[in-house]
Amino acid sequence: MNNPEGEREPESPGRERRPDGTWKERRLGPVVRRRGQVQPTTTDQRLLDTQGPTDWVHQDPWRVMRIQSEFVEGFGALAELGPAISVFGSARTPEGAADYDAGVRLGKALVGAGFGVITGGGPGAMEAANRGALEAGGVSVGLGIELPYEQGFNRYVDIGVNFRYFFVRKTMFVKYAQGFVVLPGGFGTLDELFEALTLVQTKKVTRFPIVLFGTEYWKGLVDWVHGTLVAQGKAAEKDLELFHLTDDVDEAVSLVTKESGGA
């Protein structure tokens, strides 16, 4: 194609002419590319091309996409779960221990009250609660987490979702549960406990009962909260009402059932 002055535009790399002298063009949906703007490959070719640097998979924009996908998978898997209670506790609780037995009885009692059971999906106290739920014919859910050592889901989990990011997993624990029962546990259990207490205290969630199971185990922590946090003004006296302490499975179930409005 000639320009208005009748002179032919100069040839250059990427500016190829057809045999009739017109410039090549490529239509990409509503977009037309001509002359030097014609791309030599298709979108599919660029997608499927495995060549090039791979550092992009470790950069924040790609991490955002992975985080988004974890929320989508979690929401999709749990959206139709129905009423449920999250049960926390140590992965190191051995089968046959009193805490393990309490977890099994608690899982069964929660199902009897019309709730499914959500745990971290691992061994120990988590396995116990999942086991009780399964043996009682209820829904047994495990929300796992990627760790440096392989843990995997316990065999009593019916629905398992594994997460890379703790904060996404925590959202699922709260969003799809009507309350927490916390069996004796370590740092992970404490993290989940105080996350829940903070959400309730700041009114990010409402009608969300928290029950600490095992008075002897939790007594030192409760005394510290009362004698140090509250005494020094770091927390209010009414914050002690954010949780309940019990050794009785039926009482624990009654507390989460009553405050959550029942199943």
Side-chain angles (χ1 to χ4, degrees), residues 119-167:
T119 78
M126 295 175 282
E127 175 186 294
N130 284 134
R131 178 176 178 175
L134 182 66
E135 292 179 351
V139 180
S140 177
V141 179
L143 305 181
I145 185 69
E146 179 184 271
L147 295 172
Y149 48 89
E150 187 64 34
Q151 189 176 53
F153 291 114
N154 67 67
R155 57 182 173 164
Y156 302 104
V157 168
D158 287 326
I159 302 173
V161 185
N162 215 38
F163 297 93
R164 288 187 178 93
Y165 302 99
F166 268 113
F167 60 88

Side-chain angles (χ1 to χ4, degrees), residues 1-183:
M1 182 181 297
N2 294 334
N3 61 22
E5 286 74 24
E7 298 180 0
R8 295 176 64 84
E9 297 181 48
E11 302 280 355
S12 63
R15 291 185 156 205
E16 300 179 17
R17 294 179 184 273
R18 298 188 181 94
D20 64 1
T22 60
W23 295 104
K24 289 185 177 180
E25 68 178 32
R26 173 166 290 165
R27 296 179 181 274
L28 305 169
V31 179
V32 175
R33 288 180 176 272
R34 290 175 174 166
R35 292 179 283 278
Q37 296 303 312
V38 174
Q39 296 173 332
T41 60
T42 67
T43 303
D44 276 344
Q45 285 176 308
R46 292 192 295 275
L47 172 65
L48 299 173
D49 186 0
T50 59
Q51 304 301 312
T54 59
D55 58 337
W56 54 272
V57 301
H58 304 295
Q59 296 174 355
D60 285 347
W62 185 250
R63 289 193 181 102
V64 170
M65 298 298 291
R66 282 205 306 244
I67 291 167
Q68 181 182 24
S69 73
E70 290 207 346
F71 277 112
V72 170
E73 291 294 338
F75 290 167
L78 303 175
E80 299 177 344
L81 177 62
I85 298 296
S86 289
V87 179
F88 301 112
S90 176
R92 303 181 185 187
T93 301
E95 184 175 0
D99 292 343
Y100 189 98
D101 178 64
V104 174
R105 290 187 289 116
L106 182 62
K108 291 181 178 179
L110 287 169
V111 170
F115 291 90
V117 172
I118 304 172
T119 78
M126 295 175 282
E127 175 186 294
N130 284 134
R131 178 176 178 175
L134 182 66
E135 292 179 351
V139 180
S140 177
V141 179
L143 305 181
I145 185 69
E146 179 184 271
L147 295 172
Y149 48 89
E150 187 64 34
Q151 189 176 53
F153 291 114
N154 67 67
R155 57 182 173 164
Y156 302 104
V157 168
D158 287 326
I159 302 173
V161 185
N162 215 38
F163 297 93
R164 288 187 178 93
Y165 302 99
F166 268 113
F167 60 88
V168 180
R169 182 186 187 225
K170 287 179 180 179
T171 299
M172 303 302 158
F173 276 131
V174 176
K175 180 173 176 58
Y176 294 104
Q178 279 67 54
F180 285 175
V181 179
V182 189
L183 294 164

Side-chain angles (χ1 to χ4, degrees), residues 175-195:
K175 180 173 176 58
Y176 294 104
Q178 279 67 54
F180 285 175
V181 179
V182 189
L183 294 164
F187 286 137
T189 303
L190 290 173
D191 176 49
E192 289 150 350
L193 167 61
F194 280 101
E195 175 89 7

